[in-house]
Amino acid sequence: MADSSFDIVSKVERQEVDNALNQAAKEISQRYDFKGVGASISWSGEQILMEANSEDRVKAILDVFQSKLIKRGISLKALDAGEPQLSGKEYKIFASIKEGISQENAKKVAKTIRDEGPKGVKAQVQGEELRVSSKSRDDLQAVITLLKGKDFDFAMQFVNYR
């Protein structure tokens, strides 16, 4: 019988991020504490730009956006938000969405699988994803459970389970 396998990826559905951003923008435009302070959130190229007239308000915008991402099932580990910066009279935060697993993170995951996972499970890096294969599907389930219990500094999804 052929080996069973699955892939570990770090992808974010762009449409869900867009929906979360639109919901956050709507809430910001309607909330009393954001009235008349120039608070906004929008796409700026590939980045998300949040701006307001004070550092606290721009952090509140980030908080609103993060809550919308969570409601849409997007891990906050995929959001890479910078620190508030003063630009003229406005404070700005630039945030980006991280996708793909870096080589060093892929190696960390593969090492974890080798060290703590069941015997006979192989993990190989394929570009920005990781393929995990084994003869036993139960071993693959055990690897998924093991990795969900670990706290890596990036979001990961398990796809192509066959």
Side-chain angles (χ1 to χ4, degrees):
M1 184 174 142
D3 285 4
S4 299
S5 69
F6 67 89
D7 295 334
I8 302 171
V9 297
S10 181
K11 288 194 168 80
V12 176
E13 202 169 311
R14 175 79 179 215
Q15 186 61 50
E16 289 297 324
V17 174
D18 211 31
N19 291 343
L21 187 126
N22 291 336
Q23 286 179 336
K26 186 173 182 183
E27 181 173 323
I28 288 162
S29 70
Q30 293 174 346
R31 265 182 41 180
Y32 176 75
D33 56 337
F34 289 125
K35 289 279 188 229
V37 296
S40 68
I41 180 170
S42 61
W43 284 106
S44 173
E46 282 296 305
Q47 290 189 316
I48 297 159
L49 170 65
M50 293 160 259
E51 48 191 354
N53 67 354
S54 77
E55 189 172 346
D56 291 338
R57 287 203 177 101
V58 81
K59 285 181 177 176
I61 294 170
L62 178 61
D63 191 48
V64 168
F65 182 54
Q66 287 175 335
S67 70
K68 299 301 179 192
L69 286 174
I70 290 170
K71 283 183 183 169
R72 294 217 154 259
I74 297 171
S75 172
L76 292 183
K77 291 177 181 176
L79 180 69
D80 186 18
E83 290 299 312
Q85 303 166 345
L86 184 60
S87 171
K89 292 182 179 177
E90 299 247 303
Y91 280 88
K92 297 181 178 186
I93 293 180
F94 286 97
S96 59
I97 303 297
K98 296 187 290 191
E99 288 192 307
I101 301 174
S102 68
Q103 289 292 324
E104 63 185 55
N105 284 336
K107 287 177 183 169
K108 280 185 205 169
V109 173
K111 183 173 176 11
T112 301
I113 292 170
R114 265 196 318 275
D115 295 348
E116 302 175 35
K119 297 283 179 252
V121 175
K122 296 185 287 291
Q124 63 217 63
V125 179
Q126 296 180 332
E128 292 191 337
E129 55 185 50
L130 199 69
R131 165 87 31 101
V132 180
S133 57
S134 171
K135 296 224 181 290
S136 164
R137 286 181 167 233
D138 291 342
D139 287 351
L140 292 180
Q141 291 290 341
V143 168
I144 290 175
T145 306
L146 167 76
L147 293 177
K148 282 184 178 177
K150 295 284 180 194
D151 187 31
F152 292 103
D153 60 347
F154 59 95
M156 62 177 146
Q157 295 84 31
F158 306 102
V159 297
N160 295 339
Y161 186 83
R162 358 184 140 85

PDB file of all heavy atoms in Angstrom, residues 118-137:
ATOM      1  N   PRO A 118       5.777   9.905  15.891  1.00  0.00           N
ATOM      2  CA  PRO A 118       5.896   8.444  15.785  1.00  0.00           C
ATOM      3  C   PRO A 118       7.026   8.046  14.829  1.00  0.00           C
ATOM      4  O   PRO A 118       7.382   8.805  13.931  1.00  0.00           O
ATOM      5  CB  PRO A 118       4.540   8.021  15.208  1.00  0.00           C
ATOM      6  CG  PRO A 118       3.646   9.200  15.351  1.00  0.00           C
ATOM      7  CD  PRO A 118       4.496  10.401  15.417  1.00  0.00           C
ATOM      8  N   LYS A 119       7.577   6.862  15.029  1.00  0.00           N
ATOM      9  CA  LYS A 119       8.631   6.366  14.139  1.00  0.00           C
ATOM     10  C   LYS A 119       8.039   6.095  12.754  1.00  0.00           C
ATOM     11  O   LYS A 119       6.869   5.764  12.620  1.00  0.00           O
ATOM     12  CB  LYS A 119       9.225   5.064  14.688  1.00  0.00           C
ATOM     13  CG  LYS A 119       9.906   5.227  16.032  1.00  0.00           C
ATOM     14  CD  LYS A 119      11.271   5.869  15.864  1.00  0.00           C
ATOM     15  CE  LYS A 119      11.953   6.053  17.190  1.00  0.00           C
ATOM     16  NZ  LYS A 119      12.013   7.451  17.616  1.00  0.00           N
ATOM     17  N   GLY A 120       8.847   6.232  11.731  1.00  0.00           N
ATOM     18  CA  GLY A 120       8.397   5.928  10.367  1.00  0.00           C
ATOM     19  C   GLY A 120       7.663   7.080   9.705  1.00  0.00           C
ATOM     20  O   GLY A 120       7.128   6.918   8.608  1.00  0.00           O
ATOM     21  N   VAL A 121       7.623   8.237  10.338  1.00  0.00           N
ATOM     22  CA  VAL A 121       6.993   9.408   9.722  1.00  0.00           C
ATOM     23  C   VAL A 121       8.099  10.245   9.108  1.00  0.00           C
ATOM     24  O   VAL A 121       9.085  10.564   9.763  1.00  0.00           O
ATOM     25  CB  VAL A 121       6.209  10.243  10.770  1.00  0.00           C
ATOM     26  CG1 VAL A 121       5.662  11.510  10.147  1.00  0.00           C
ATOM     27  CG2 VAL A 121       5.092   9.417  11.359  1.00  0.00           C
ATOM     28  N   LYS A 122       7.944  10.581   7.818  1.00  0.00           N
ATOM     29  CA  LYS A 122       8.956  11.371   7.121  1.00  0.00           C
ATOM     30  C   LYS A 122       8.406  12.763   6.845  1.00  0.00           C
ATOM     31  O   LYS A 122       7.249  12.915   6.482  1.00  0.00           O
ATOM     32  CB  LYS A 122       9.328  10.695   5.800  1.00  0.00           C
ATOM     33  CG  LYS A 122       9.978   9.328   5.968  1.00  0.00           C
ATOM     34  CD  LYS A 122      10.436   8.742   4.660  1.00  0.00           C
ATOM     35  CE  LYS A 122       9.329   8.257   3.769  1.00  0.00           C
ATOM     36  NZ  LYS A 122       8.595   7.093   4.212  1.00  0.00           N
ATOM     37  N   ALA A 123       9.250  13.772   7.009  1.00  0.00           N
ATOM     38  CA  ALA A 123       8.869  15.153   6.696  1.00  0.00           C
ATOM     39  C   ALA A 123       9.896  15.726   5.737  1.00  0.00           C
ATOM     40  O   ALA A 123      11.091  15.623   5.983  1.00  0.00           O
ATOM     41  CB  ALA A 123       8.816  15.982   7.972  1.00  0.00           C
ATOM     42  N   GLN A 124       9.427  16.287   4.619  1.00  0.00           N
ATOM     43  CA  GLN A 124      10.363  16.906   3.696  1.00  0.00           C
ATOM     44  C   GLN A 124       9.875  18.294   3.290  1.00  0.00           C
ATOM     45  O   GLN A 124       8.686  18.507   3.106  1.00  0.00           O
ATOM     46  CB  GLN A 124      10.603  16.022   2.472  1.00  0.00           C
ATOM     47  CG  GLN A 124       9.385  15.768   1.629  1.00  0.00           C
ATOM     48  CD  GLN A 124       9.386  14.356   1.080  1.00  0.00           C
ATOM     49  OE1 GLN A 124       9.334  13.404   1.846  1.00  0.00           O
ATOM     50  NE2 GLN A 124       9.433  14.235  -0.220  1.00  0.00           N
ATOM     51  N   VAL A 125      10.820  19.212   3.187  1.00  0.00           N
ATOM     52  CA  VAL A 125      10.505  20.598   2.835  1.00  0.00           C
ATOM     53  C   VAL A 125      10.340  20.684   1.320  1.00  0.00           C
ATOM     54  O   VAL A 125      11.176  20.196   0.573  1.00  0.00           O
ATOM     55  CB  VAL A 125      11.643  21.538   3.301  1.00  0.00           C
ATOM     56  CG1 VAL A 125      11.334  22.965   2.929  1.00  0.00           C
ATOM     57  CG2 VAL A 125      11.883  21.395   4.787  1.00  0.00           C
ATOM     58  N   GLN A 126       9.239  21.305   0.900  1.00  0.00           N
ATOM     59  CA  GLN A 126       9.004  21.508  -0.533  1.00  0.00           C
ATOM     60  C   GLN A 126       8.645  22.978  -0.748  1.00  0.00           C
ATOM     61  O   GLN A 126       7.477  23.358  -0.668  1.00  0.00           O
ATOM     62  CB  GLN A 126       7.851  20.629  -1.022  1.00  0.00           C
ATOM     63  CG  GLN A 126       8.136  19.150  -0.915  1.00  0.00           C
ATOM     64  CD  GLN A 126       6.974  18.310  -1.405  1.00  0.00           C
ATOM     65  OE1 GLN A 126       5.827  18.720  -1.349  1.00  0.00           O
ATOM     66  NE2 GLN A 126       7.287  17.132  -1.898  1.00  0.00           N
ATOM     67  N   GLY A 127       9.658  23.783  -0.978  1.00  0.00           N
ATOM     68  CA  GLY A 127       9.423  25.213  -1.172  1.00  0.00           C
ATOM     69  C   GLY A 127       8.944  25.851   0.123  1.00  0.00           C
ATOM     70  O   GLY A 127       9.636  25.810   1.126  1.00  0.00           O
ATOM     71  N   GLU A 128       7.731  26.421   0.090  1.00  0.00           N
ATOM     72  CA  GLU A 128       7.187  27.080   1.282  1.00  0.00           C
ATOM     73  C   GLU A 128       6.181  26.196   2.006  1.00  0.00           C
ATOM     74  O   GLU A 128       5.323  26.690   2.725  1.00  0.00           O
ATOM     75  CB  GLU A 128       6.549  28.413   0.886  1.00  0.00           C
ATOM     76  CG  GLU A 128       7.563  29.434   0.421  1.00  0.00           C
ATOM     77  CD  GLU A 128       6.971  30.817   0.281  1.00  0.00           C
ATOM     78  OE1 GLU A 128       5.741  30.945   0.116  1.00  0.00           O
ATOM     79  OE2 GLU A 128       7.739  31.784   0.343  1.00  0.00           O
ATOM     80  N   GLU A 129       6.255  24.896   1.774  1.00  0.00           N
ATOM     81  CA  GLU A 129       5.388  23.980   2.515  1.00  0.00           C
ATOM     82  C   GLU A 129       6.167  22.738   2.918  1.00  0.00           C
ATOM     83  O   GLU A 129       7.308  22.554   2.525  1.00  0.00           O
ATOM     84  CB  GLU A 129       4.136  23.626   1.710  1.00  0.00           C
ATOM     85  CG  GLU A 129       4.386  23.053   0.334  1.00  0.00           C
ATOM     86  CD  GLU A 129       3.088  22.850  -0.419  1.00  0.00           C
ATOM     87  OE1 GLU A 129       2.270  23.771  -0.482  1.00  0.00           O
ATOM     88  OE2 GLU A 129       2.912  21.745  -0.954  1.00  0.00           O
ATOM     89  N   LEU A 130       5.530  21.915   3.718  1.00  0.00           N
ATOM     90  CA  LEU A 130       6.182  20.735   4.270  1.00  0.00           C
ATOM     91  C   LEU A 130       5.288  19.527   3.997  1.00  0.00           C
ATOM     92  O   LEU A 130       4.098  19.569   4.323  1.00  0.00           O
ATOM     93  CB  LEU A 130       6.332  20.954   5.786  1.00  0.00           C
ATOM     94  CG  LEU A 130       7.329  20.140   6.560  1.00  0.00           C
ATOM     95  CD1 LEU A 130       8.739  20.542   6.172  1.00  0.00           C
ATOM     96  CD2 LEU A 130       7.146  20.388   8.046  1.00  0.00           C
ATOM     97  N   ARG A 131       5.841  18.471   3.389  1.00  0.00           N
ATOM     98  CA  ARG A 131       5.072  17.258   3.128  1.00  0.00           C
ATOM     99  C   ARG A 131       5.421  16.238   4.194  1.00  0.00           C
ATOM    100  O   ARG A 131       6.587  15.946   4.431  1.00  0.00           O
ATOM    101  CB  ARG A 131       5.421  16.742   1.728  1.00  0.00           C
ATOM    102  CG  ARG A 131       5.023  15.335   1.381  1.00  0.00           C
ATOM    103  CD  ARG A 131       3.634  15.099   0.833  1.00  0.00           C
ATOM    104  NE  ARG A 131       2.981  16.085   0.052  1.00  0.00           N
ATOM    105  CZ  ARG A 131       2.874  16.076  -1.276  1.00  0.00           C
ATOM    106  NH1 ARG A 131       3.448  15.158  -1.986  1.00  0.00           N
ATOM    107  NH2 ARG A 131       2.173  17.004  -1.884  1.00  0.00           N
ATOM    108  N   VAL A 132       4.398  15.701   4.851  1.00  0.00           N
ATOM    109  CA  VAL A 132       4.594  14.693   5.899  1.00  0.00           C
ATOM    110  C   VAL A 132       3.962  13.401   5.398  1.00  0.00           C
ATOM    111  O   VAL A 132       2.798  13.403   4.987  1.00  0.00           O
ATOM    112  CB  VAL A 132       3.929  15.139   7.225  1.00  0.00           C
ATOM    113  CG1 VAL A 132       4.137  14.084   8.288  1.00  0.00           C
ATOM    114  CG2 VAL A 132       4.475  16.475   7.678  1.00  0.00           C
ATOM    115  N   SER A 133       4.738  12.311   5.415  1.00  0.00           N
ATOM    116  CA  SER A 133       4.193  11.048   4.907  1.00  0.00           C
ATOM    117  C   SER A 133       4.532   9.893   5.844  1.00  0.00           C
ATOM    118  O   SER A 133       5.503   9.928   6.589  1.00  0.00           O
ATOM    119  CB  SER A 133       4.745  10.764   3.500  1.00  0.00           C
ATOM    120  OG  SER A 133       6.146  10.741   3.526  1.00  0.00           O
ATOM    121  N   SER A 134       3.660   8.878   5.786  1.00  0.00           N
ATOM    122  CA  SER A 134       3.831   7.696   6.627  1.00  0.00           C
ATOM    123  C   SER A 134       2.979   6.567   6.061  1.00  0.00           C
ATOM    124  O   SER A 134       2.042   6.813   5.306  1.00  0.00           O
ATOM    125  CB  SER A 134       3.388   8.023   8.060  1.00  0.00           C
ATOM    126  OG  SER A 134       3.350   6.855   8.838  1.00  0.00           O
ATOM    127  N   LYS A 135       3.301   5.336   6.445  1.00  0.00           N
ATOM    128  CA  LYS A 135       2.472   4.208   6.014  1.00  0.00           C
ATOM    129  C   LYS A 135       1.155   4.192   6.774  1.00  0.00           C
ATOM    130  O   LYS A 135       0.136   3.764   6.269  1.00  0.00           O
ATOM    131  CB  LYS A 135       3.211   2.887   6.248  1.00  0.00           C
ATOM    132  CG  LYS A 135       4.469   2.749   5.429  1.00  0.00           C
ATOM    133  CD  LYS A 135       4.570   1.364   4.825  1.00  0.00           C
ATOM    134  CE  LYS A 135       5.826   1.174   4.004  1.00  0.00           C
ATOM    135  NZ  LYS A 135       5.835   1.937   2.767  1.00  0.00           N
ATOM    136  N   SER A 136       1.181   4.667   8.020  1.00  0.00           N
ATOM    137  CA  SER A 136       0.010   4.607   8.881  1.00  0.00           C
ATOM    138  C   SER A 136      -0.699   5.957   8.969  1.00  0.00           C
ATOM    139  O   SER A 136      -0.090   6.967   9.305  1.00  0.00           O
ATOM    140  CB  SER A 136       0.439   4.160  10.283  1.00  0.00           C
ATOM    141  OG  SER A 136      -0.563   4.441  11.215  1.00  0.00           O
ATOM    142  N   ARG A 137      -2.000   5.948   8.694  1.00  0.00           N
ATOM    143  CA  ARG A 137      -2.786   7.189   8.823  1.00  0.00           C
ATOM    144  C   ARG A 137      -2.892   7.613  10.287  1.00  0.00           C
ATOM    145  O   ARG A 137      -2.982   8.793  10.584  1.00  0.00           O
ATOM    146  CB  ARG A 137      -4.182   6.999   8.243  1.00  0.00           C
ATOM    147  CG  ARG A 137      -4.170   6.977   6.741  1.00  0.00           C
ATOM    148  CD  ARG A 137      -5.562   6.801   6.170  1.00  0.00           C
ATOM    149  NE  ARG A 137      -5.493   7.111   4.751  1.00  0.00           N
ATOM    150  CZ  ARG A 137      -6.286   7.984   4.151  1.00  0.00           C
ATOM    151  NH1 ARG A 137      -7.214   8.596   4.839  1.00  0.00           N
ATOM    152  NH2 ARG A 137      -6.162   8.210   2.870  1.00  0.00           N
TER     153      ARG A 137
END
